Amino acid sequence: MLTFAPGPSKVFDKLPEYFQDAFSQGILSANHRSAVFMDLYKDTESLLKQRLEIPADYKLLFTSSATENWEIISQSLVEQASFHIFSGSFGKKWFDFAQNIIPETASLKLDKNTVLEVADLTISNAFDVIAITQNETSNASQVTNETIAALAGKFPDKMLAVDTTSSMGGIYLDFKLADVWYASVQKCFGMPAGLGLLVLSPKAIAKAKSKGEYGRYNSLNFMLENAYNYQTHYTPNVLGIYLLNRVLQDMPSIWEVQAKTESRMQALEGLVDKSAALAFLVTNAKARSRTVLGVGGEEAFIKAIKQAAEKEGMQMGSGYGPLKPTSFRIANFPAITDEEFEKLIQFLESY
Ligand SMILES: *Cc1c(COP(=O)(O)O)cnc(C)c1O
């Protein structure tokens, strides 16, 4: 069954070969204090920066998931409280975890069709971090680089933390605009789950040091001390890091990836536009995600189209949370081949 679920999502077809190589090369038993591992970390960080155009002085940390990164940010970086701007379930979850750690955490909830008007936004001095979910996987909406730039410009004294779990590796992100970026590999990187990425600017690292939080297994300062030697704070997911390295080696420049993501999304959008039965979950094109398409409809219709797709060997992503019965989602991720994408288009056209 070919899955179009936006996470866990279809993995790259070359993965079996890379699994085998990891085994043959002895990497699976490599000690995480050994030169073999340190070289792998260093090379993977350098590849990620090259492919995604991340500034040279940013640091890559390995965690276990995006969810873990939510807690790390509140525990180790936020000094007063974070202010969360979101429209969907993932942004809401991040806010809930943050508020559990810091009760003063506050939020602004937007409709999924609303583009944030940064000019009208005020955020008081009680908040030192602004949290945004760049690609809200649950309702298939997005925040553009332009909006992130406007936030960075308007609030230069606050730190921006950006959830790009389902977009990093699929579209161009302007990393210099924000100090904290994170993702999981089971979305646009086309890999099995179990590895989180956390990318920090020098400013974010300095802020972690100034907060000086220690003592938890995932205290950022503890992680950073290890990362400077290209080691990790616990025995890491070496297989995941190895696979990421191989996936990054194959990855073209992010501009090439982005062009493909965009043309595929435009093809899908054209189809929904023409269709009498399909409707966009996000009707405002300016707020619509480029890596996840959300399609809404009557409950019976959604059920029927999903079943018909399964008969053709394709699994649509279910709607998420409250949107589960009345929507389905399609991952527009790089691991999906042109032939697979074509098959999906033909199915949707003829349905
Ligand atoms: C999938 C997802 C997460 C959670 O990722 P995990 O790796 O399961 O922790 C968080 N935020 C967004 C936007 C996501 O799409």
Side-chain angles (χ1 to χ4, degrees):
M1 183 75 71
L2 167 62
T3 183
F4 285 93
S9 54
K10 193 216 156 195
V11 297
F12 276 106
D13 293 325
K14 292 213 91 177
L15 250 56
E17 188 187 312
Y18 300 159
F19 276 115
Q20 187 60 48
D21 289 350
F23 179 77
S24 321
Q25 290 171 20
I27 200 91
L28 301 179
S29 306
N31 187 290
H32 59 297
R33 311 275 171 224
S34 69
V36 170
F37 178 76
M38 288 156 69
D39 288 346
L40 175 66
Y41 188 155
K42 198 171 176 176
D43 189 56
T44 307
E45 180 185 61
S46 139
L47 272 170
L48 186 83
K49 286 184 187 176
Q50 277 174 28
R51 296 295 188 265
L52 302 187
E53 301 198 354
I54 298 172
D57 54 0
Y58 279 41
K59 187 80 199 147
L60 167 66
L61 298 173
F62 295 113
T63 61
S64 61
S65 64
T67 301
E68 186 189 356
N69 296 334
W70 288 336
E71 289 214 344
I72 290 174
I73 292 165
S74 291
Q75 285 168 12
S76 301
L77 268 173
V78 177
E79 292 175 283
Q80 296 163 276
S82 49
F83 187 86
H84 295 245
I85 303 165
F86 63 87
S87 73
S89 300
F90 284 105
K92 168 79 164 65
K93 278 194 194 178
W94 183 7
F95 166 64
D96 288 341
F97 279 112
Q99 198 177 40
N100 188 50
I101 296 171
I102 302 174
E104 294 77 20
T105 303
S107 69
L108 170 66
K109 178 152 186 339
L110 299 175
D111 180 81
K112 61 184 184 304
N113 283 304
T114 304
V115 172
L116 179 68
E117 281 293 345
V118 177
D120 303 341
L121 183 68
T122 50
I123 303 176
S124 87
N125 288 335
F127 303 97
D128 59 322
V129 172
I130 303 173
I132 43 176
T133 303
Q134 187 275 324
N135 199 68
E136 178 49 83
T137 322
S138 69
N139 61 23
S141 67
Q142 75 152 352
V143 175
T144 60
N145 282 314
E146 289 68 36
T147 300
I148 297 174
L151 278 169
K154 179 149 178 182
F155 302 102
D157 299 332
K158 301 192 196 296
M159 190 155 285
L160 275 183
V162 194
D163 183 340
T164 57
T165 305
S166 54
S167 53
M168 190 190 287
I171 57 167
Y172 172 75
L173 296 164
D174 194 349
F175 284 89
K176 67 178 181 307
L177 295 175
D179 296 290
V180 183
W181 299 82
Y182 61 86
S184 292
V185 296
Q186 75 274 19
K187 313 265 167 103
C188 287
F189 291 99
M191 286 173 49
L195 182 66
L197 309 178
L198 179 58
V199 176
L200 300 178
S201 75
K203 224 173 105 187
I205 293 169
K207 191 167 167 64
K209 287 192 178 139
S210 127
K211 179 162 181 178
E213 191 266 333
Y214 273 99
R216 291 190 177 90
Y217 84 98
N218 58 3
S219 291
L220 209 44
N221 288 309
F222 181 40
M223 293 175 60
L224 284 164
E225 279 169 13
N226 281 279
Y228 283 121
N229 299 319
Y230 296 103
Q231 295 182 7
T232 54
H233 54 305
Y234 55 58
T235 320
N237 181 351
V238 181
L239 174 61
I241 298 168
Y242 177 83
L243 294 175
L244 176 64
N245 185 287
R246 296 295 299 265
V247 163
L248 288 170
Q249 283 182 37
D250 292 340
M251 188 179 173
S253 94
I254 193 63
W255 295 106
E256 207 174 304
V257 175
Q258 147 118 0
K260 186 162 200 166
T261 300
E262 190 52 41
S263 80
R264 282 179 173 182
M265 186 51 86
Q266 283 174 14
L268 286 169
E269 287 177 321
L271 218 143
V272 176
D273 259 333
K274 275 191 305 189
S275 163
L278 305 172
F280 288 113
L281 207 52
V282 176
T283 48
N284 181 358
K286 290 201 177 82
R288 203 178 291 147
S289 163
R290 311 322 288 155
T291 53
V292 181
L293 177 72
V295 179
E298 294 288 324
E299 197 167 333
F301 171 77
I302 296 295
K303 204 172 155 192
I305 193 170
K306 279 169 69 181
Q307 276 173 357
E310 284 191 16
K311 280 210 189 90
E312 302 286 318
M314 290 181 291
Q315 184 186 51
M316 303 294 188
S318 285
Y320 192 91
L323 297 166
K324 195 173 171 81
T326 53
S327 69
F328 66 86
R329 294 172 301 159
I330 293 170
N332 179 23
F333 293 167
I336 294 158
T337 66
D338 289 340
E339 293 71 38
E340 290 164 344
F341 186 75
E342 210 34 58
K343 189 177 168 193
L344 171 74
I345 291 276
Q346 276 171 15
F347 167 78
L348 291 173
E349 255 173 353
S350 61
Y351 187 78

